[in-house]
Amino acid sequence: MIDIRIRAAAPSEAASVLAFWRESAEGTSISDDVDGVERLLDRDPGALLLAVDGEVIVGSVIAGWDGWRASLYRLAVLPSYRRRGISKALLKAAEERFATLGGRRADAMVLEANERAHHAWAAAGYVRQDTWRRWVKPFTE
């Protein structure tokens, strides 16, 4: 029996979160370093939600709110904990956070090639929006 708790990440957990993402998340980001995670938590302390089993990080989602948009990133579950409702619990916590902050809708960044994620997002009630595309410009090399 597992006892999963959903809670906000602490800045001191940045390295542990990065290790978790290396094992559990698809893809990487230019912000995947301790400084990037700490900046996120400094700017929006409740944005990085973790699912934990005891002291072990077993899931994550970034529920970023900028006052205008409610954006979801880095929904990931430790492979050995998948198919136990953890992503559903993380999304519920994120959606509750957004509603409390005044958000009206959430959008999710999902890798095009991550078909497993497409199924998970669809099961959670999200639909692909083909009318928009993401455009990016890195500020560093």
Side-chain angles (χ1 to χ4, degrees), residues 15-91:
S16 297
V17 167
L18 291 165
F20 165 76
W21 284 341
R22 280 190 297 275
E23 182 175 357
S24 305
E26 296 286 330
T28 59
S29 168
I30 197 169
S31 303
D32 281 359
D33 54 37
V34 169
D35 190 50
V37 174
E38 288 175 345
R39 273 196 316 272
L40 166 68
L41 297 175
D42 183 53
R43 163 68 177 78
D44 191 356
L48 177 51
L49 299 174
L50 300 178
V52 294
D53 182 8
E55 298 300 315
V56 178
I57 299 171
V58 299
S60 75
V61 68
I62 297 175
W65 170 251
D66 64 8
W68 179 263
R69 292 191 189 274
S71 300
L72 296 161
Y73 312 88
R74 288 301 172 103
L75 178 62
V77 175
L78 195 66
S80 61
Y81 279 75
R82 291 182 180 156
R83 305 204 49 84
R84 299 184 192 190
I86 294 170
S87 64
K88 182 178 181 180
L90 284 162
L91 288 176

Side-chain angles (χ1 to χ4, degrees), residues 99-119:
T100 299
L101 294 170
R104 299 181 199 176
R105 124 186 130 203
D107 59 60
M109 295 295 298
V110 183
L111 288 171
E112 188 65 29
N114 189 348
E115 298 227 1
R116 179 178 44 230
H118 298 179
H119 297 293

